[in-house]
Amino acid sequence: MSESAPVDTSGSQDGRRETVEAALASLQKTLTKIRGCPEKEKQALRREVEQLESMEQKLTQGRVEIVVFGEISTGKSALINALIGEAVTEVDVRGGWTKEVWHVPWEGSGYCIPGLDQSQIVLIDTPGINEVGGASRAELADEAAERSDLILFVTDSDLNDTEFTALATLAARNKPILLILNKVDLYSQQQRRQLIEILQDRCRDIVSADNIIPASADPREIEYVIEDAQGKTRHELRKPQADVESVKARILEILAQEGLALLALNAAMYTADKSDRIAVLRIQMREQAAQQTIWTFAGLKSVAVALNPVGFADVAGGATVDVAMVITLGRIYGLEMAWQPAKDLFLAIAKAAGWVMLGETVTHFLSSSLKVLTAGAATLLTAVPQAAAAGYGSFIVGQAAKYYFEQGASWGGESPKAVVRRILETTDRDSVIARLKDELKEKLHRNPHSPSNKE
Ligand SMILES: Nc1nc2c(ncn2[C@@H]2O[C@H](COP(=O)(O)OP(=O)(O)OP(=O)(O)O)[C@@H](O)[C@H]2O)c(=O)[nH]1
Ligand SMILES: [Mg+2]
């Protein structure tokens, strides 16, 4: 195995059980967390849930996954066939033959994790690492590497740069790697020795010397000269037996030493990585949903103010939209808020802002609203900037409420005033108002109750 792999080979049986239980617990904790998410997030995390459930099954059943990587035509599929002892996956002289990631149970391996009767080894065939046009295939192969417990990297000569880079990337996963020098039947004894030495030297930092193993998975036919009783000779082509015994022996040796620990540590690393990614994804989703909500409500507020200036002229009237926005935002962050606490939060934010932005926009608006009522469409358009400014007030309230929910329903050790001031300072007021104005104009033109459409 690779020297850096974090595997406790000295661990007692008890220690290994504990590692398995710890891995299982963290897996289940992550799954429980996702199951408690809002429906939309659960939908988006479906794939992650499937992956984690499958990892849970893998661990409890003791399914060891061995993934085979290498350039095209190096004999990856042939190696799997030779290990299993029958042609289960297709081998072809044409490069790029294997197009999918294949899972093949290795029935006759003779390996079973102690105490897990159902345990089995699965060999995973992958397309060549330099296979063209395979972005999604590369993703599948990557997922296979992430899940796998042991990696076989197949080459048929010295490593080229692509192979070396791929091998180094795989080695960084901290899993045991065997580097298989396949097709050794094509080389003389001396060439084999030389090649093995070259590989040991080049890969000394990523693969330990005893994990670099020669093999001939599908040796080329050899011409035999056969002499009959009369001394007549004839030529016959015969295929020598595959030789993958050293590969098989090394795999079984590693598994016997640390099979269960490998499985457990692997599941733990996989879960940690997935739960990090899930956390990032959830933050992104919430951020997106929250911003969308804020824009919707800010837009709604400016429409409401433009159409009903008197009702919305005081803060209490305008608060309806803001309180509804606060409740919706809370829900995005998994918090069910009743009307009164939501209103209190809105008032706290408005107070922190010193009523300035709200008061200012409302006063400005009052003067023009009278004109709207009397003069109709032309004046309405002049009222648009003020109505948009009212929407801007809601936009700020929304950003502050969003911050409050992100901090787990607190101001994160700051005062609401400091938070609101920072939001005001970092918000590009003009561009927010410009966007709200555009939306407002468009909506007023479409709205049958708009004064401009009543004329
Ligand atoms: N001489 C020799 N040829 C081999 C050996 N192993 C495989 N081959 C040949 O190499 C060619 C490719 O073998 P595959 O097993 O299809 O190789 P692969 O890596 O799966 O190839 P792709 O799926 O196309 O990426 C075939 O013609 C095999 O017969 C070996 O040990 N010796
Ligand atoms: Mg293949």
Side-chain angles (χ1 to χ4, degrees), residues 34 38 72 191 238 246 260 318 374 377 388:
I34 300 176
I72 51 172
Q191 286 172 323
R238 282 193 200 160
S246 316
L260 191 57
T374 52

Side-chain angles (χ1 to χ4, degrees), residues 235-301:
H235 293 244
E236 199 177 295
L237 285 176
R238 282 193 200 160
K239 208 173 174 64
Q241 285 248 311
D243 183 4
V244 294
E245 278 313 306
S246 316
V247 180
K248 181 173 176 178
R250 186 69 187 121
I251 293 173
L252 295 180
E253 189 182 3
I254 292 175
L255 292 182
Q257 273 172 10
E258 52 195 0
L260 191 57
L262 268 180
L263 221 66
L265 285 165
N266 195 25
M269 284 197 296
Y270 185 86
T271 310
D273 184 67
K274 281 275 177 281
S275 68
D276 281 356
R277 272 194 260 175
I278 289 168
V280 170
L281 204 73
R282 279 179 67 189
I283 290 172
Q284 281 170 351
M285 284 177 59
R286 289 179 173 194
E287 170 71 26
Q288 220 176 19
Q291 292 299 1
Q292 206 178 333
T293 296
I294 294 171
W295 279 111
T296 305
F297 276 89
L300 212 66
K301 173 72 155 289

